[in-house]
Amino acid sequence: KAYVIWYGNWTGSATPSLLTSLLSSIAPSPYFNINTTYTNGSGTAVTNAVQYAGSATDSYSRGTSLSDAGVQGVVADAITRGLPKDTSGVYFVLTSSDVSEASGFLTQYCGWHTHGSISGADIKYAFVGDASRNLAACAAQTSVSPNNNVAGDAMASVVAHELEEAVTDPDLNAWYDSRGYENADKCAWTYGTTYSTANGALANMKLGTLNFLIQRNWVNASGGYCATSK
């Protein structure tokens, strides 16, 4: 299950609708099916299934500059206010363009995932920010995008990246390679075969009714390779 906390000011933005559509249609799909090549310690494979399970809003409860601890606090607050406390879910803190993340958003990363103890439970969560202040840092296309929303489409690719890593390495002690790269890291910022959408943007997959340009993922089979489907 995927939960979203919309942090900041999203009034008038098309991004919430876009990313809700992504999380509602990313699985089952040929793309998310790549994750079925990963298993837990008992040999049970990841399933090709994701459920968008709800959202909450947070209007700057911790200001416009979040620390890593602040992101965890945002998740904890959302659970306290009514989001389910789900140890099998992933909570996405998605921030509007005027919000920074002090540990390195736009300079060292576009998003990340981790886990922490919240209300006595092991909760998995991720941060992904709107990169409008420096699109070149996090967007594959900076002038046009499949859904006419350059920042939102950029976030979609990062959300997909962090979701599959949270699934295959939820507590940061599961799947990663000898360099410490998780599955999506091994294929970061590569897209494989693309096609042109009606507005001239590039895309590499259709999820639901929308086209997206999503970073490839590592297929953990046949010696391993980057792909957009299994």
Side-chain angles (χ1 to χ4, degrees):
K1 294 181 180 179
Y3 304 89
V4 172
I5 300 138
W6 298 102
Y7 187 91
N9 180 9
W10 292 96
T11 302
S13 173
T15 297
S17 175
L18 176 63
L19 298 184
T20 299
S21 177
L22 170 76
L23 289 170
S24 299
S25 58
I26 196 169
S29 69
Y31 174 68
F32 204 80
N33 198 44
I34 292 172
N35 295 301
T36 66
T37 63
Y38 297 82
T39 68
N40 65 12
S42 301
T44 302
V46 173
T47 57
N48 185 6
V50 175
Q51 178 186 346
Y52 174 71
S55 68
T57 59
D58 186 325
S59 298
Y60 306 104
S61 67
R62 294 170 188 265
T64 58
S65 180
L66 293 174
S67 64
D68 290 357
V71 172
Q72 180 171 327
V74 168
V75 176
D77 292 345
I79 292 173
T80 298
R81 293 197 311 267
L83 279 187
K85 185 169 68 174
D86 186 352
T87 58
S88 297
V90 183
Y91 297 78
F92 285 90
V93 177
L94 305 181
T95 58
S96 54
S97 60
D98 55 338
V99 178
S100 60
E101 214 289 19
S103 67
F105 177 52
L106 297 179
T107 58
Q108 299 180 48
Y109 58 76
C110 301
W112 49 259
H113 77 96
T114 190
H115 72 113
S117 179
I118 296 176
S119 299
D122 180 37
I123 299 296
K124 293 76 176 171
Y125 60 95
F127 163 85
V128 180
D130 181 312
S132 292
R133 286 188 286 186
N134 185 8
L135 281 172
C138 296
Q141 302 176 96
T142 57
S143 58
V144 65
S145 69
N147 298 292
N148 296 304
N149 182 344
V150 172
D153 277 311
M155 289 182 77
S157 183
V158 180
V159 166
H161 176 121
E162 298 304 332
L163 176 62
E164 56 212 15
E165 290 183 344
V167 165
T168 56
D169 191 22
D171 288 318
L172 310 185
N173 61 0
W175 201 94
Y176 51 87
D177 68 11
S178 59
R179 295 179 297 173
Y181 286 6
E182 295 174 304
N183 55 352
D185 293 331
K186 293 174 73 65
C187 306
W189 311 112
T190 70
Y191 301 95
T193 301
T194 61
Y195 57 91
S196 293
T197 59
N199 66 357
L202 295 178
N204 61 355
M205 68 183 71
K206 192 168 189 177
L207 297 170
T209 62
L210 301 179
N211 295 297
F212 291 95
L213 185 67
I214 300 288
Q215 299 169 60
R216 295 189 296 175
N217 192 12
W218 184 257
V219 179
N220 191 32
S222 304
Y225 56 96
C226 292
T228 55
S229 65
K230 169 179 170 288

